[in-house]
Structure formats: C-alpha cells, structure tokens
C-alpha cells in the first residue's frame, strides 16, 4: 500500500549545526535521510514509520574527504560514487572502493551514502566488512560534542547501534600505511551489481618469515550485525599457513558465526561459503 | 506543502509539493512529463531514471525537497530539437527498444555512461546499465545500440 505523502514532513537545514540543533531540541524525533536509498524504498512500500525527516543530502560538511599522512577521513555523506572516484581510496584502501563498486547499480551508487550504509545496520551491507578489516573508527556528533569510537563497537545487535537519538554519524576514519599487507574481498550473491550478498568477507594480513603477524577479518551476513571474526583471527596469529592451521581457522570461523536462514540463502550454505572464502584468502599469503 | 524551485530540461520550474513527494510523481503528475516510468518503485528497475545535476538517479527514490535547486534532465529533454538524439537514433536502428517501458531509463543511463567513458568496454556497458531492467530485448540489442552510440561519438 502506498503511503499518504502529505503525512510526512521533511526539512533541509543548510548547516550541520542547524541540523544538530533540531535533533537536540525537537520533542518529536527527526530521522535523518541522506541518499534515501533505504528510507525511500520503505516509503514506497508504505512502511516508513518515521513521519518527520531531516535531510543530510549533499551537505558539504558531511560530504568530504580529508587525507592526512596517517589516515583518510570520509564524511558520512560521501556517496559510493564519491568513494570510487577518490584516488587515495582506490589506490591504498581498495577494499572499500571495491565494496562501493558492487553496492547496487550506478544510480544507487550516485545516491547511497557510506553513512547510510553503516547506520542502517543491515548485517548484509557491503561496506562494513571492508571497514572492519581496516579497523576503521567512526566519529559521532551532536550538540553535546563529538566522540570517536572503533567501528567494531558501533553495532549493538540487529539494527541497533550506539547512536543516540540526537546524534549523527559524522565521519569514518581509515588508517593508512598498510605497507606489506595482502588484502582480500569477495561478495557471494546471485550477482554482484544489484543483489544483496548471501555472504561476504574482507580481510587484510601481513606475514613475517612465513608466519601471520597481523590479520583482521570482517564479514557480512554471518551474525546479526556486521562482524569482526576475532576468534578466527586469533587462531591464525603467529601461524604459518598449513592444512592444519586452515582447518583450525575454518572451525574457529564456524564457532564464532551464527548465520541465518532466509530467502536469500541457508545458514549452512553461508557458513560453508564463508569458510571457503577465508581459505581462498589464506592460500594467497 | 513546500515551495520547490528547480530546473527541468533547461526550464526553471516553481511549484508547491509535499516535501517527501517523489521526484518521479512530481515529474509525472505536476509537470506532465510521463517519460520516466514507475516499474518497481524501489530502486531495482531503473525505468524511472533521470539525470540530477548530471548524475543518473532513480527518481522514485528522490524526495522532491532534495531536488531543490537541481538541474533535472528527463527523456523529454534529451532531444533538443525535433531530431532524435543520436543515442535515441542508435536504439531505434539497433532494435534496442521493443515495448519501450525501459527505454527512457536505458537512454539516460547510456548518456551518463558515455559521459564517463567515451569508448566503454562491454563490461563497462553492462555495469553502467546494471540498474536498468528490460523484459523484452534480452539486452544484446541494447548493448549493440550503446556500442553504436559510442562509435558515433555522441558523448555530448
Ligand atoms: C536497488 C537497491 C540495491 C541496493 N544494493 C545494495 C547492495 O548491494 N549492498 C548494500 O550494502 N546496500 C544496498 N542497498 C542499500 C542502500 O543503497 C545502502 O544501504 C545505502 O548505503 C544507504 O545509504 P542512503 O544514504 O541512501 O541511506 P538513507 O536511506 O538516507 O538512510 C539509511 C539509514 O541511515 C540513517 N542515516 C543516514 N545517514 C546518517 C548519518 N550521517 N547519521 C545518522 N544516521 C544516518 C537514516 O536515518 C536511515 O536510518 C541497495 C538499495 C537499493 C534500493
Ligand atoms: S521505478 Fe524507480 S527504480 Fe523501479
Ligand atoms: S523494451 Fe520492453 S522492457 Fe525493455
């Protein structure tokens, strides 16, 4: 059933301060809308509960990149197209530009934002595995100030995050200088471009004298939120890649994931594919 | 209701609309530009594609307030004179359109693609049109039409 459009309010203040003030002051809660590629789908289907919305689209203070010697800061309002066009991301942090390249169609990438992908909180979203592998931090802002936390502690449970009602995701920070790291990302779905993943893995690792000295693995659709696979990482640290370590890593992965059955796939299939993806990566080290 | 000012196919427009009304509905209902079609209403099919400030977007997912001040191009604005635009001519000549429901979106997606890549590979064409579904042609004739348009050098 189509929504009654006149019931919805949308405001578009011109500055971040003005938006934060409204979020802080308004007794009825405003919901941010950036590229709208999640919320407008809900509107079209008649299931957008939130009646008061506040636009973040194309706000310069949220749509930016800042490159320092140590890090790349990405404004939450950057679109997937912006990310694919950024020279430092495509050359040094290519897991993220790869993920952006298969986040829906070109039209979707021209509107969908990194912030929207993260805050929406889908366990199947495409950018989180890359952000987890890079150990991103996220900066949240409100009229009360700003705070920066590791992205891995942003999602609390299914579609629940640490964001307070008056807070916005401001930016995402990825550390640079990943010299000597091997990287891996793969999305398994019915097709890459326009389909939600059944399972996806992004990982980076560095070896020294054949042993894994550093490894981080991010996964989609293996738990109720995007997930770092800490136990799997632990099982691999200081190990050389042998059939025995691969077997141990596969069982660590199965022990720490809890995939679900849904219309896109079965839990059993997801777990088996995730373990195969991990093994594919380990063979490249 | 909110006052909206924007430019559609080079003409400036001012109108009143509920701010969450979809750009697609404003184009079709308020401006009587029915070239953009509603297929799915959820970003999957691309039959509602338009250019917003030169970027391909699905107009079913754009609340009109977010188009405030924007330059919109719909299929009606692609041919500037009575003559078809060369991309349209290439679709016609290559059998790239059958029932025509997907065609406005396909042509705008092609427009956007050829602005980025003057000589796109088949893979780039497939990616550029991946958000535009066609129930009739089987896509091969559409890809041929895009290649013909690229050969004709119609990026402008
Ligand atoms: C056809 C189609 C295909 C898609 N394919 C994929 C895919 O392959 N992979 C994938 O991961 N996703 C996909 N998506 C989902 C969607 O495009 C992405 O999740 C996108 O990143 C959402 O960003 P947005 O700005 O459009 O979000 P919006 O709809 O504007 O917002 C989404 C949520 O985030 C909140 N929000 C947005 N920005 C902020 C902020 N800065 N601070 C606080 N809250 C914020 C909003 O309140 C809302 O709850 C697809 C969507 C469609 C329609
Ligand atoms: S109607 Fe907009 S994408 Fe299908
Ligand atoms: S020509 Fe009929 S849907 Fe494409």
């Amino acid at each position: 059933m189509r929504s009654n459009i006149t019931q919805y309010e949308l405001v578009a203040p011109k500055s971040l301060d003005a938006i934060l003030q409204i979020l802080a002051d308004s007794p009825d809660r405003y919901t941010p809308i950036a590229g709208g590629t999640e919320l407008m789908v809900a509107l079209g289907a008649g299931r957008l509960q939130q009646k008061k919305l506040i636009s973040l689209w194309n706000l310069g203070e949220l749509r930016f990149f800042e490159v320092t010697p140590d890090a790349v800061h990405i404004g939450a309002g950057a679109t997937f197209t912006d990310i694919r066009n950024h020279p430092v991301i495509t050359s040094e942090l290519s897991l993220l530009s790869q993920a952006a390249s298969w986040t829906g169609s070109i039209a979707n990438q021209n509107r969908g934002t990194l912030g929207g992908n993260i805050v929406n909180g889908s366990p199947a979203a495409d950018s989180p595995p890359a952000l987890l592998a890079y150990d991103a931090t996220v900066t949240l802002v409100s009229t009360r100030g700003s705070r920066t936390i590791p992205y891995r502690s942003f999602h609390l449970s299914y579609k629940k995050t640490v964001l307070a009602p008056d807070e916005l995701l401001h930016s995402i920070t990825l550390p640079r200088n990943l010299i000597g790291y091997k990287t891996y990302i793969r999305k398994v779905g019915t097709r890459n471009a326009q389909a939600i993943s059944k399972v996806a893995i992004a990982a980076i690792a560095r070896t020294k004298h054949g042993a894994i000295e550093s490894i981080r693995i991010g996964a989609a659709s293996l738990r109720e939120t995007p997930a770092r696979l800490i136990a799997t990482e632990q099982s691999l640290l200081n190990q050389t890649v042998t059939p025995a370590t691969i077997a141990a890593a596969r069982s660590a992965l199965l022990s720490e994931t809890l995939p679900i059955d849904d219309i896109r796939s079965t839990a059993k299939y997801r777990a088996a594919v995730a373990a195969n993806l991990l093994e594919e990566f380990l063979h490249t080290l | 209701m909110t006052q909206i000012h924007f430019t559609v196919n080079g003409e400036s427009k001012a109108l009143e609309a509920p701010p969450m009304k979809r750009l697609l509905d404003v184009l079709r209902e308020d401006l009587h530009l029915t070239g953009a079609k509603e297929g799915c209403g959820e970003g999957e099919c691309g039959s509602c594609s338009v250019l917003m400030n030169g970027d391909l977007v699905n107009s079913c997912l754009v609340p009109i307030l977010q188009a405030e001040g924007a330059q919109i191009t719909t299929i009606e604005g692609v041919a500037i004179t009575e003559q078809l635009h060369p991309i349209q001519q290439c679709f016609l000549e290559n059998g790239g359109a059958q029932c025509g429901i997907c065609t406005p979106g396909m042509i705008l997606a092609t427009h956007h693609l050829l602005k980025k890549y003057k000589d796109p590979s088949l893979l780039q064409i497939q990616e550029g049109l991946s958000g535009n579904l066609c129930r009739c042609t089987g896509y091969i004739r559409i890809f041929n039409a895009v290649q013909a348009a690229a050969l004709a050098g119609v990026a402008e």
Side-chain angles (χ1 to χ4, degrees), chain A residues 147-214:
Chain A
R147 54 181 177 137
T148 298
I149 60 166
Y151 172 55
R152 64 176 181 278
S153 41
F154 180 78
H155 299 282
L156 296 174
S157 59
Y158 181 71
K159 296 224 163 193
K160 292 264 180 306
T161 75
V162 302
L163 263 187
D166 64 342
E167 242 177 351
L168 290 180
L169 174 58
H170 174 267
S171 55
I172 298 92
T173 298
L174 305 179
R176 293 174 73 186
N177 305 320
L178 294 167
I179 292 147
Y181 276 89
K182 291 258 174 57
T183 67
Y184 177 86
I185 188 163
R186 190 157 167 195
K187 168 178 180 174
V188 176
T190 42
R191 66 175 179 141
N192 261 350
Q194 187 75 314
I196 309 295
S197 71
K198 295 173 191 289
V199 52
I201 295 262
I204 71 170
R206 192 168 66 189
T207 56
K208 193 172 184 182
H209 310 307
I212 297 172
E213 63 167 356
S214 167

Side-chain angles (χ1 to χ4, degrees), chain B:
Chain B
M1 299 289 259
T2 310
Q3 271 284 328
I4 307 288
H5 304 268
F6 64 149
T7 304
V8 180
N9 300 329
E11 272 177 49
S12 61
K13 303 276 179 194
L15 52 88
E16 289 228 314
M20 280 292 279
K21 189 166 179 175
R22 305 179 308 173
L23 172 58
L24 174 65
D25 297 328
V26 171
L27 292 172
R28 292 180 58 87
E29 294 166 7
D30 299 55
L31 300 176
H32 307 292
L33 294 170
T34 54
K37 312 278 184 247
E38 174 157 13
C40 63
E42 49 187 61
E44 298 278 353
C45 76
S47 68
C48 66
S49 304
V50 302
L51 303 178
M52 182 158 97
N53 298 326
D55 289 332
L56 187 72
V57 302
N58 291 321
S59 63
C60 71
L61 300 185
V62 178
I64 190 63
L65 186 62
Q66 290 189 341
E68 169 69 29
Q71 306 263 0
I72 306 292
T73 304
T74 70
I75 190 66
E76 289 89 344
V78 167
I80 297 155
T81 60
E82 292 290 292
Q83 292 263 310
L84 290 181
H85 186 278
I87 298 176
Q88 293 173 309
Q89 193 61 41
C90 290
F91 268 70
L92 204 66
E93 285 168 9
N94 287 274
Q98 286 183 27
C99 79
I101 294 286
C102 72
T103 315
M106 289 288 180
I107 286 176
L108 289 164
T110 304
H111 205 285
H112 187 58
L113 173 80
L114 294 181
K115 234 178 32 189
K116 284 194 289 186
Y117 311 106
K118 304 261 173 279
D119 183 20
S121 64
L122 182 58
L123 217 66
Q124 285 168 331
I125 295 175
Q126 288 170 338
E127 188 197 26
L129 303 188
S130 68
N132 294 79
L133 303 186
C134 176
R135 299 301 304 271
C136 304
T137 63
Y139 299 102
I140 303 296
R141 286 161 189 271
I142 291 177
F143 298 153
N144 292 345
V146 178
Q147 274 162 337
L151 267 179
V154 296
E156 271 71 59

Side-chain angles (χ1 to χ4, degrees), chain A residues 9-172:
Chain A
E9 187 190 319
L10 171 63
V11 293
K14 295 276 184 293
S15 74
L16 183 58
D17 278 344
I19 292 170
L20 294 176
Q21 203 60 53
I22 291 176
L23 290 175
D25 292 347
S26 167
D28 354 83
R29 199 163 288 177
Y30 277 86
T31 299
I33 176 168
T37 61
E38 299 280 357
L39 294 178
M40 292 300 287
V41 173
L43 178 82
R47 50 181 172 72
L48 183 62
Q49 305 294 332
Q50 301 92 327
K51 293 282 162 22
K52 284 173 167 269
L53 297 113
I54 188 160
S55 179
L56 311 180
W57 171 247
N58 215 6
L59 192 73
E61 290 160 283
L62 292 178
R63 191 173 181 180
F64 69 90
F65 293 88
E66 189 193 335
V67 180
T68 67
D70 301 327
V72 178
H73 306 275
I74 307 174
T79 65
F80 296 113
T81 300
D82 297 340
I83 287 168
R84 290 184 70 181
N85 288 339
H86 196 275
V88 177
I89 295 177
T90 50
S91 62
E92 292 181 25
L93 298 161
S94 63
L95 297 183
L96 185 61
S97 46
Q98 275 282 326
S101 78
W102 57 54
T103 305
S105 64
I106 298 297
N108 199 65
Q109 293 168 24
N110 285 340
R111 288 274 296 165
T113 64
L114 183 58
N117 201 228
I118 294 171
V119 176
N120 185 57
S122 162
D126 277 316
S127 62
L131 300 178
L132 290 163
Y134 287 137
D135 208 14
T137 55
V138 289
T139 299
L140 317 178
V141 280
S142 69
T143 52
R144 297 171 286 122
S146 83
R147 54 181 177 137
T148 298
I149 60 166
Y151 172 55
R152 64 176 181 278
S153 41
F154 180 78
H155 299 282
L156 296 174
S157 59
Y158 181 71
K159 296 224 163 193
K160 292 264 180 306
T161 75
V162 302
L163 263 187
D166 64 342
E167 242 177 351
L168 290 180
L169 174 58
H170 174 267
S171 55
I172 298 92

